[in-house]
């Protein structure tokens, strides 16, 4: 908002007009997209991916992926190699 010389509410309104979603929802969806990409398209260790995306433990990362993506990180990765 500050970089665009806009109030916070003005920024939110303009962002939603352009992107069709709120900044927070967009950020969360982008985070999921990046996690999914890393699991499918890289050979990074799961622990590294979880840390890179801000998770404190691999256990929480597993639960997060299961809840948000419907599968564990290992299941998502295995799909990429089938």
């Amino acid at each position: 908002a500050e970089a665009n010389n806009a109030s916070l509410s003005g920024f939110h309104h303009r962002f939603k007009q352009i992107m069709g979603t709120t900044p927070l929802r967009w950020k969360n969806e982008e985070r999921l997209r990046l996690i999914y990409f890393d699991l499918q398209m890289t050979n990074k260790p799961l622990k590294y991916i979880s840390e890179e995306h801000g998770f404190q433990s691999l256990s929480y990362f597993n639960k997060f992926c299961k809840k948000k993506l419907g599968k564990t990180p290992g299941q998502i990765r295995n799909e990429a190699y089938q």
Side-chain angles (χ1 to χ4, degrees):
E2 192 174 308
N4 291 310
N5 246 357
S7 67
L8 191 55
S9 62
F11 173 78
H12 279 266
H13 178 73
R14 186 78 174 130
F15 188 96
K16 192 167 183 177
Q17 272 186 324
I18 294 169
M19 301 299 287
T21 188
T22 66
L24 180 60
R25 183 167 286 146
W26 178 86
K27 182 182 174 210
N28 289 338
E29 289 171 1
E30 183 68 7
R31 181 182 191 202
L32 283 173
R33 188 188 69 75
L34 292 171
I35 288 169
Y36 194 81
F37 176 87
D38 280 347
L39 292 170
Q40 288 263 301
M41 306 302 284
T42 72
N43 290 322
K44 296 175 187 176
L46 297 179
K47 182 161 178 51
Y48 180 81
I49 294 171
S50 73
E51 290 171 355
E52 188 175 57
H53 291 282
F55 293 90
Q56 297 297 317
S57 71
L58 194 52
S59 173
Y60 183 67
F61 182 59
N62 279 319
K63 289 176 188 174
F64 176 85
C65 288
K66 182 77 173 167
K67 181 179 179 181
K68 298 292 186 177
L69 298 170
K71 297 175 184 161
T72 66
Q75 290 169 328
I76 295 167
R77 169 144 301 157
N78 286 339
E79 287 178 350
Y81 297 107
Q82 290 182 3

